């Protein structure tokens, strides 16, 4: 057969199925709080505190944001959300449910922590588990686990100074051959 | 290779709506056209299209390796100096590419001839990879097409596989971007994004016009998150020329298609391929214009280095008649290519778009136009192997 054995659409249309890419995995530890971290006996009290504080300080900045409480609670459960107001009006973010410590391969003494959120709907295959701020699945339960490297790379933010610096060629060249909505493809 | 008339599926527009195909009719004119299909033999597909596609692709890839090492060749291709080192580095680091389409003139006999490479922003992907597959499946079920019919179309399988292969080295999420108001481009990135999600890659979308630039020279989305990786259905040479372009080499962004694709989306690749493989059965003679050629001689075609959708092409037939397509790409150097007629079927000129995914030949899609120059007014027709 010289054609695809199956064709599928996840977002555009029909049947949901996911082939998982074989991404390299990294060890990660999940803790609900400092006490659980200390109890694991892998880190000192100070290290557990520092990691928790870092995740907590990132939390409001990186948590997924919603403009409606209902949407937030759909993803993170009733009373699973809090409000923030960072100048863009009231927004809703999930409560920080745990924090994750990832150890970078090749840098054994270096770890970074990030906040995690508990969702009952963000998991393929049903059931609940911990997601990172980008909505990626990290682990079902706290404790030691392995995750795709990308799940431990928290998204970075930067102060945007300017927009609309791309797209001008398309509009400049868009005046030919039939109205708006000119394709830039070929 | 035959063109065979067939009834449309009565409900295909509903099916298109269900399957996310929103640009099957463009400006009131049909684009997806299933009132006929093309039938090939397996030998025609394998010997005349698939194998030459693999060979032409390898020739194109070795050309990139040569061009990135040569300031002179970069100059010939009018690649801006500020981006040359960055382009060369992207090749040396083997930044992965995803896909490309070569347009071939083929009439069922003799060698297919390469018209051009669309290796940076190819469209007509969803309709080739997905919708024509569905068409065949349903036509076979209804008995309108014999049960043994097949199609040269592994495009989706290979796309998902290619995304899976590049996933480990790709910073995520991968943003998919195109100009906001093009239904066709938005449909194409929606499909590619779907394939990426099927391979387990976390994705996002942003309009090209909405991309921001931070104080420290990184590209951001509308929530100020840094865009770590960007699939852009937007020409590299446009990005280079625009206000945010100069930040590209130091921004740390990973682009798909990668910067080195600017060498192959450039029509200057055609004369360079000819110089290196003079007389190759699948190549048409081609030269850079130097300015002393005079007027276009009969039997030649003139194309700008940078052009999309068949714009700004001039061709002069052997009888001296001149055919021209209008367009905005009249500001770059030009190449000349020997004229080779597109085959005509029932009054329609058909061009074969042969897909390459990662580095493998993947399938074809056929577009027909009423004129000798295939433009954005063309129609897409399905095909089968009988």
């Amino acid at each position: 057969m010289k054609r695809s054995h199956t064709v599928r659409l996840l977002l555009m249309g029909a049947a949901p199925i996911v082939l998982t890419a074989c991404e390299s995995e990294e060890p990660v530890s999940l803790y609900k709080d400092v006490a659980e971290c200390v109890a694991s006996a892998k880190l000192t009290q100070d290290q557990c505190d520092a990691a928790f504080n870092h995740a907590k300080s990132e939390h409001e900045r990186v948590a997924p944001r919603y403009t409606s409480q209902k949407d937030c609670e759909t993803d993170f459960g009733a009373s699973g959300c809090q409000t923030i107001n960072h100048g863009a009006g009231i927004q809703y973010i999930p409560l920080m449910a745990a924090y994750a410590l990832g150890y970078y391969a090749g840098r054994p003494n270096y770890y970074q922590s990030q906040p995690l959120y508990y969702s009952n709907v963000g998991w393929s295959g049903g059931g609940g588990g911990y997601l990172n701020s980008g909505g990626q699945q990290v682990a079902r339960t706290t404790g030691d686990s392995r995750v795709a490297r990308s799940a431990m790379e928290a998204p970075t933010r930067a102060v945007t100074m300017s927009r609309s610096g791309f797209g001008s060629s398309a509009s400049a060249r868009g005046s030919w051959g039939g109205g708006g909505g000119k394709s830039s493809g070929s | 290779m035959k063109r065979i008339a067939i009834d449309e599926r009565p409900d295909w527009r509903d099916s298109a709506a269900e399957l996310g195909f929103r640009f099957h009719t463009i400006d009131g004119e049909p684009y997806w056209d299933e009132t006929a299909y093309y039938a090939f033999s397996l030998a025609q597909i394998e010997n005349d299209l698939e194998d030459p596609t693999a060979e032409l692709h390898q020739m194109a890839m070795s050309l990139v390796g040569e061009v990135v090492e040569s300031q002179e060749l970069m100059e010939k291709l009018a690649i801006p100096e500020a981006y040359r080192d960055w382009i060369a580095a992207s090749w040396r680091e083997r930044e992965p590419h995803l896909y490309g389409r070569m347009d071939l003139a083929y009439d069922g006999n003799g060698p297919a001839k390469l018209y051009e490479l669309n290796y940076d922003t190819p469209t007509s992907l969803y309709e080739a990879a997905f919708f024509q597959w569905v068409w065949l499946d349903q036509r076979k079920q209804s008995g309108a097409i014999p049960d043994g019919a097949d199609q040269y179309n592994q495009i989706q399988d290979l796309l998902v596989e290619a995304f899976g292969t590049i996933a480990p080295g790709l910073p995520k999420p991968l943003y998919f971007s195109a100009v906001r108001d093009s239904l066709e481009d938005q449909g194409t990135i929606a499909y590619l994004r779907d394939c990426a999600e099927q391979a387990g890659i976390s994705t996002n979308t942003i309009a090209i016009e909405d991309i921001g630039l931070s104080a420290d020279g990184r590209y951001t989305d509308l929530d100020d998150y840094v865009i770590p990786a960007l699939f852009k259905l937007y020409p590299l040479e446009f990005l280079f020329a625009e206000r945010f372009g100069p930040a590209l080499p130091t921004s740390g962004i990973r682009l798909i298609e990668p910067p080195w694709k600017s060498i192959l989306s450039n029509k200057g690749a055609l004369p360079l391929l000819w110089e290196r493989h003079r007389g190759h059965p699948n190549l048409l003679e081609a030269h850079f214009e130097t300015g002393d050629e005079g007027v276009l001689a009969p039997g030649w075609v003139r194309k700008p280095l940078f052009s999309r959708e068949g714009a700004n092409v001039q061709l002069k037939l052997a009888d001296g008649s001149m055919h021209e397509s209008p367009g905005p790409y009249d500001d770059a150097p030009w190449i000349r290519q020997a004229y080779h007629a597109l085959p005509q079927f029932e009054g329609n000129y058909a061009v074969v778009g042969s897909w390459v995914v990662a580095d493998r030949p993947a399938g074809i899609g056929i577009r027909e136009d009423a004129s000798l120059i295939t433009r954005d007014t063309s129609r897409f027709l399905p095909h089968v192997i009988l």
Side-chain angles (χ1 to χ4, degrees):
Chain A
M1 193 161 83
K2 291 199 80 73
R3 72 198 129 98
S4 303
H5 289 273
T6 52
V7 295
R8 296 190 171 98
L9 296 175
L10 292 175
L11 309 172
M12 281 184 92
I17 183 155
V18 184
L19 310 176
T20 306
C22 13
E23 186 173 17
S24 60
E25 294 198 326
E26 307 279 338
V28 63
S29 301
L30 282 70
Y31 304 114
K32 279 200 177 83
D33 48 31
V34 173
E36 197 175 288
C37 175
V38 174
S40 78
K42 293 171 83 173
L43 297 175
T44 65
Q45 171 88 39
D46 283 355
Q47 287 172 318
C48 287
D49 277 336
F52 176 81
N53 290 336
H54 180 258
K56 194 75 189 168
S57 70
E58 288 289 288
H59 161 59
E60 287 202 0
R61 204 171 63 81
V62 302
R65 294 183 195 182
Y66 296 81
T67 48
S68 103
Q69 182 171 3
K70 187 169 152 285
D71 288 349
C72 185
E73 291 188 344
T74 302
D75 288 350
F76 296 98
S79 68
C81 295
Q82 64 178 96
T83 57
I84 53 165
N85 190 342
H86 285 179
I90 301 281
Q91 292 182 310
Y92 299 86
I93 61 172
L95 301 171
M96 179 171 133
Y99 64 113
L101 285 168
Y103 298 84
Y104 281 130
R107 300 176 71 180
N109 296 317
Y110 181 87
Y111 61 87
Q112 74 162 21
S113 63
Q114 61 166 295
L116 297 178
Y117 306 94
Y118 193 86
S119 174
N120 280 307
V121 297
W123 281 79
S124 49
Y130 294 94
L131 307 178
N132 70 8
S133 61
Q136 271 181 285
Q137 302 169 5
V138 177
R140 294 270 186 191
T141 58
T142 55
D144 292 338
S145 182
R146 296 183 71 79
V147 292
R149 180 182 295 186
S150 63
M152 284 308 291
E153 289 165 358
T156 320
R157 286 191 135 168
V159 181
T160 303
M161 301 299 283
S162 172
R163 292 200 189 276
S164 307
F166 284 137
S168 58
S169 309
S171 45
R173 293 175 192 261
S175 57
W176 53 283
K182 204 64 230 160
S183 165
S184 296
S186 47
Chain B
M1 180 180 183
K2 282 188 294 193
R3 187 184 196 275
I4 301 172
I6 188 172
D7 290 336
E8 297 180 309
R9 290 167 293 165
D11 57 349
W12 74 261
R13 285 174 185 80
D14 297 336
S15 166
E18 235 169 76
L19 297 172
F21 191 11
R22 291 181 179 71
F23 54 100
H24 55 73
T25 306
I26 298 177
D27 293 335
E29 299 292 328
Y31 169 59
W32 170 264
D33 181 354
E34 58 173 76
T35 61
Y37 64 91
Y38 282 86
F40 295 85
S41 70
L42 186 60
Q44 285 174 328
I45 291 289
E46 291 188 335
N47 305 335
D48 294 350
L49 297 172
E50 187 178 25
D51 291 350
T53 295
E55 190 181 344
L56 289 167
H57 177 72
Q58 284 314 315
M59 286 154 58
M61 296 294 275
S62 7
L63 180 65
V64 178
E66 187 188 337
V67 172
V68 296
E69 300 301 333
S70 161
Q71 287 297 320
E72 190 198 336
L73 292 176
M74 292 262 212
E75 184 71 39
K76 267 194 156 167
L77 296 178
I79 291 171
E81 219 171 325
Y83 300 100
R84 291 179 192 168
D85 289 347
W86 176 62
I87 289 168
S90 76
W91 173 258
R92 286 188 207 112
E93 283 153 29
R94 293 291 182 271
E95 279 187 25
H97 62 129
L98 184 63
Y99 76 143
R101 191 193 76 229
M102 46 183 89
D103 286 344
L104 303 173
Y106 178 66
D107 65 1
N109 297 295
K113 298 288 187 185
L114 176 67
Y115 264 27
E116 57 190 51
L117 301 167
N118 297 289
Y119 263 42
D120 180 24
T121 59
T123 53
S124 81
L125 178 70
Y126 167 87
E127 45 277 42
F130 188 83
F131 206 69
Q132 82 166 337
W133 191 100
V134 173
W135 169 85
L136 177 61
D137 198 51
Q138 295 185 351
R139 298 274 69 180
K140 283 168 69 165
Q141 279 173 26
S142 72
I145 301 247
D147 207 35
D150 198 358
Q151 191 171 75
Y152 174 36
N153 179 12
Q154 293 154 341
I155 305 170
Q156 177 155 344
D157 268 358
L158 294 181
L159 279 173
V160 176
E161 189 185 313
F163 272 122
T165 307
I166 66 180
L170 197 67
K172 287 171 248 346
L174 172 61
Y175 284 70
F176 285 82
S177 191
V179 291
R180 185 187 292 109
D181 293 332
S182 169
L183 214 53
E184 182 189 354
D185 291 1
Q186 288 294 333
T188 303
I189 61 168
Y191 176 64
L192 280 163
R193 182 187 184 194
D194 205 298
C195 291
E197 288 277 343
Q198 291 179 43
I201 294 178
S202 62
T203 65
N204 208 330
T205 58
I206 186 167
I208 282 284
E209 296 90 336
D210 285 339
I211 292 173
L213 188 63
S214 71
D216 60 352
R218 291 181 292 171
Y219 298 105
T220 56
D221 73 6
L222 286 170
D223 292 322
D224 286 352
Y225 285 111
V226 170
I227 300 172
L230 181 73
F231 176 93
K232 75 293 106 21
L233 191 63
Y234 192 72
L236 282 161
E237 71 268 14
F238 284 9
L239 295 178
F240 296 169
E242 294 178 3
R243 190 162 58 88
F244 281 0
L248 281 167
T250 51
S251 65
I253 199 167
R254 272 286 292 282
L255 291 183
I256 298 176
E257 299 298 315
W260 57 261
K261 277 289 185 93
S262 59
I263 291 163
L264 295 179
S265 63
N266 188 305
K267 304 280 189 296
L270 298 168
L272 294 180
L273 283 173
W274 178 256
E275 285 167 15
R276 279 147 194 80
H277 308 275
R278 199 173 290 269
H280 189 285
N282 300 115
L283 292 179
L284 294 167
E285 184 176 351
H287 306 283
F288 287 95
E289 282 199 352
T290 57
D292 351 308
E293 292 88 351
V295 295
L296 201 61
W300 285 87
V301 184
R302 190 167 183 250
K303 298 176 176 181
L305 284 197
F306 306 111
S307 142
R308 294 289 190 282
E309 305 271 8
N312 294 96
V313 172
Q314 301 172 359
L315 61 92
K316 201 169 210 174
L317 304 189
D319 65 8
S321 67
M322 189 83 172
H323 299 254
E324 242 177 295
S325 60
Y329 301 96
D330 51 5
D331 50 357
W334 302 74
I335 62 138
R336 291 190 178 190
Q337 187 184 46
Y339 173 64
H340 179 89
L342 277 182
Q344 221 178 344
F345 296 87
E346 321 284 332
N348 303 286
Y349 295 98
V351 65
V352 175
S354 183
W355 290 94
V356 174
V357 176
D359 292 305
R360 290 151 70 183
I364 57 169
I366 294 167
R367 283 170 308 144
E368 277 187 354
D369 212 319
S371 77
L372 276 170
I373 302 169
T374 308
R375 303 200 46 218
D376 56 350
T377 50
S378 61
R379 287 165 292 105
F380 188 101
L381 279 81
H383 81 276
V384 304
I385 305 172
L386 283 180

